[in-house]
Amino acid sequence: MVYLVLEYESGLYYIPFKDLACADEFTSRYNSPLELCAVINDYLGLGKSREEMLDAYLTEDLAKIDDDMQEYHKRYLAVKYRRDKFDNLDLEIKFSSFIKFNMNKVNNFIGLDKVIEHYKNKYRQGGSLLDRDTDKIALAYLGNDYKRRKECFYKLKDLGYKAKVNDEHISYSSVKEIEEEDKMMLMLLTNMSIPELSQYVHSQDNKGMKR
């Protein structure tokens, strides 16, 4: 379970998503935290003004709900917006390039040094890597692990390696069509109906959660 935390001047609200990929699937439909907060505010009837909307962030632990710095310790907890819909193939290319030219910085990625060591022992008998080896190491490290790929994307971005993003343009016939699809996605990714989500979030008013 991953929680999307919405921060308003009057307090915090959280929405449970089935997993990290589901949370990202929803948030990457929007361009900014204010746009995201505004949509949730409208769909769930929170009654907040735009001036009250401050930020949005993710947490895996509700005991840390008031800590909006979690994403800097775990980069996979960064909220994924439309500008961050990274292309998996280009991510692999950028990561391979990083490994090739920054062997002194591989410790930025947890466990990468062990993957490199294992590869060298298996295929290079502890000797130097060839240029093509970094492609295989990058793939071995990333695998099909969504959390690891997302973490890698943001860490590479922090280090000046920006992977290509896929900003797919979808044509809608009306604002109502956009709202209907947004609500459908929200229900699908949280496994709760809009009335259930609204009740769930409104029940948090009594908890008085603040930063």
Side-chain angles (χ1 to χ4, degrees):
M1 188 78 73
V2 172
Y3 300 90
L4 172 63
V5 183
L6 306 172
E7 183 181 0
Y8 300 93
E9 285 185 356
S10 56
L12 304 173
Y13 295 94
Y14 58 89
I15 297 173
F17 285 84
K18 292 186 281 189
D19 56 32
L20 179 66
C22 286
D24 287 350
E25 180 71 21
F26 185 74
T27 62
S28 63
R29 298 171 68 83
Y30 308 101
N31 294 307
S32 69
L34 292 185
E35 184 180 353
L36 179 59
C37 284
V39 164
I40 297 294
N41 179 66
D42 290 344
Y43 295 168
L44 303 187
L46 298 181
K48 305 295 180 183
S49 68
R50 190 168 185 83
E51 289 71 27
E52 290 181 82
M53 302 172 192
L54 300 176
D55 200 5
Y57 54 93
L58 298 176
T59 185
E60 297 170 303
D61 183 358
L62 285 180
K64 299 178 181 177
I65 192 172
D66 60 347
D67 180 6
D68 64 351
M69 296 295 289
Q70 293 176 72
E71 70 169 285
Y72 296 103
H73 304 296
K74 299 177 179 178
R75 294 300 278 138
Y76 63 82
L77 286 177
V79 176
K80 185 177 181 181
Y81 294 105
R82 192 187 301 275
R83 63 180 177 269
D84 300 321
K85 295 170 76 172
F86 57 86
D87 180 90
N88 272 301
L89 179 58
D90 195 62
L91 177 66
E92 293 164 7
I93 294 170
K94 293 295 193 305
F95 190 43
S96 174
S97 179
F98 169 82
I99 297 169
K100 187 181 299 181
F101 297 110
N102 297 275
M103 275 295 177
N104 61 326
K105 296 181 181 179
V106 296
N107 287 332
N108 282 283
F109 298 85
I110 297 171
L112 178 56
D113 57 337
K114 293 180 180 177
V115 173
I116 293 172
E117 182 182 1
H118 175 76
Y119 184 91
K120 288 174 73 173
N121 290 337
K122 187 172 182 180
Y123 298 106
R124 297 290 170 238
Q125 289 74 50
S128 299
L129 295 171
L130 303 178
D131 283 351
R132 65 177 180 272
D133 290 331
T134 57
D135 293 341
K136 297 174 183 176
I137 290 169
L139 284 174
Y141 181 79
L142 294 171
N144 293 316
D145 187 327
Y146 176 76
K147 183 184 289 187
R148 178 167 279 187
R149 282 177 175 263
K150 183 184 177 186
E151 175 104 355
C152 183
F153 168 76
Y154 282 103
K155 283 189 174 182
L156 283 176
K157 191 175 179 181
D158 294 340
L159 293 165
Y161 283 75
K162 189 172 181 181
K164 173 185 173 184
V165 296
N166 296 320
D167 188 5
E168 302 148 346
H169 179 72
I170 302 174
S171 297
Y172 295 97
S173 60
S174 65
V175 172
K176 184 174 170 134
E177 186 179 341
I178 297 174
E179 291 179 354
E180 287 176 352
E181 183 165 330
D182 280 352
K183 289 179 180 178
M184 180 188 72
M185 292 297 295
L186 186 57
M187 290 187 289
L188 178 66
L189 298 169
T190 61
N191 204 28
M192 298 172 74
S193 68
I194 295 298
E196 287 172 335
L197 276 169
S198 180
Q199 183 178 10
Y200 180 88
V201 174
H202 276 286
S203 71
Q204 296 163 27
D205 278 322
N206 300 326
K207 297 179 182 178
M209 292 177 294
K210 295 182 181 295
R211 288 203 49 222

